[in-house]
Amino acid sequence: MGDMQVLRGMGVSGGIAVGRAVCIETRVPDVYRIPITEDQVEEEVARLYDGARRARYELQRTRDKANEDLGNELAAIFDAHVLLLSDPHFLGKVEQRIRKLLVNAEWAVHKTAEELDDRFAHLDDAYIRERSEDLTDVSRHLLRSLQGTAHHHDLSELPPDVIIVADDLTPSDAIRLGRAKVLGFAIESGGRTSHTTIIARGLNLPAVAGLAGVIGAVADQASIIVDGETGTVILHPTPEVLEQYEVRKQELDRRDSEFLETRELGAVTTDGVEVRLMANIDLPEEVGEVAPFGACGIGLYRSEFLYIERSPHLPTEDEHLETYRHMIEAAAPHPAIIRTYDLGGRKLAREMMATEEENPVLGLRGIRLTLARQDIFRTQIRALYRAGVYGDLWVMLPLVSTVDEVRSFRAFADDVLRELEQEGVPFRRDIRLGVMIEVPAAAMIADVLAREVDFFSIGTNDLIQYSMAVDRNNEHVASLYQPLHPAILRMLRFVIDSARAAGIEVSLCGEMAADPRFALLLIGMGMRRLSMSPRRIPEIKTWLRDISASDLAALADGCLAHSTAAEVQRHLDNFFECVVSREARERAVRN
Ligand code: PEP
Ligand code: MG
């Protein structure tokens, strides 16, 4: 056992997890070292050669495609890869590792590539260094090919008390791992609003992100604590520290059960202003949390996860329909707001993209991809209008930046409705259509957009990213990711005022809504609908039931008068200190 070590990052999903580390480096495909027994060796070696054969076949196909699209000279690059995959020296070394170390083929490939790469790196011949890049590429192909067949080396083999320590995790990694019942995450990259951390919160798994170098600091199987409340990770905790954390865990559980008692209470301020607190849902299993946490309907269902979970297969119309029906029923008697696929950007859309993009977050994402690939989206739109017959469904479009996109979508939807009508399939025509306000251009034309749609939902996760020019996943610029920046507050005020003037609903479904202080500021700015992870609802409800909307309106005016995010933060903190001490005074008088 090593000495205790404390690492600090960002607490991106609350709660405390105590367990054993499993390290995953995802910048190459996830590779686990899995011991095999003597009598599994032959089977494992056969898997290796089988995997190599399939990877060669795949590469050959890629080569042929490149030949058609790019010409023979560029396609020749793949020849080197195909050759390497037939190289008896490389595969022989991998085989030897499996036999000698009794490990799975993936691990043997990973380690052999690493060793050869290390040797190449020390040679200063440019040609050889290029071969090293080929090798990295080829070993990734081979790993993917092996993983495609690795039924007996899947995540279900992870022991029960695992905490994943990773350099980076995609949202789909987080879903897979979360469902494999891991206890928590400690990640090098990421920020509060990256989709991976949103998924961690959805699955109620403690997570700390922005932990530079954590992969190098942790050994597999090390004892580890992830404290998502404070953003702390503790390696090799002493028995005393473990005990302290046990006590804290119990306190948190108690706090959660106290919060649950607010379920039946209204989200109403002391001067009678009612606020709708709705649920953000990413995965179908989260709908079970809508009612217990007292959500008034679903304010955002990120339907793209339906696709991400089934990739590379596209969900069928019936799968869409069943999922939407499930959402609508869970939300009843309140509305369910379902967002059309927000794929592209960092959300995997391999099957739909013609080419790789250099800057995908500014690329063919959200509504842009919907309009570009109507052949694929038709299935989703048909299912949405069909699902309308089951209850109060609202449909929302992501990443809108122009009025034309809304009009094009309406024309597309009209076409789909004509088709359904001709087929005699039951559907609902008058579904409310809204847009996400998450691109600064959309925020600045909110008054114009408000005439085109039935509602707005503000996506601050992206609105802040695009306004501040700060990648929401990049831990290096996380300090510039400022929800309280005056530019953001002014934009929010403009959008809220524009919606009110046009008489349409406006809600906010970015992570900003889930922070009690930000939520109250937003209510002060006139927001009457907030959507968040359902687990956040009780705390926010508890806060707002103790404060008057008129005090919050004054708070918002005060905050909007400042010049920097730090000044706004101080203003907000002072206000809350006053409220807390006032509350304490009142309690003292009552008692
Ligand atoms: C947002 O951008 O605030 C939002 C809610 O959408 P997503 O997080 O899925 O991009
Ligand atoms: Mg968004």
Side-chain angles (χ1 to χ4, degrees), residues 385 395-397 406 409-410 431-435 453-455:
Y385 281 91
V395 170
M396 173 159 81
L397 309 176
V406 179
F409 180 85
R410 282 197 191 275
I431 287 178
R432 292 211 209 184
L433 181 69
V435 289
V453 293
D454 304 311
F455 67 97

Side-chain angles (χ1 to χ4, degrees), residues 546-560:
D546 264 329
I547 301 179
S548 76
S550 59
D551 280 354
L552 293 177
L555 166 74
D557 287 341
C559 286
L560 270 147

Side-chain angles (χ1 to χ4, degrees), residues 193 195 198 280 300 302 304 339 342 347 365 436 438 458-463 472 509-511:
T193 64
H195 286 101
I198 290 173
N280 282 0
L300 167 66
R302 291 182 167 96
E304 59 273 15
R339 180 170 79 180
D342 182 12
K347 289 187 208 145
R365 184 192 151 182
M436 298 273 304
E438 52 183 347
I458 307 177
T460 41
N461 303 340
D462 278 312
L463 187 62
R472 61 195 263 194
C509 60
E511 291 306 304

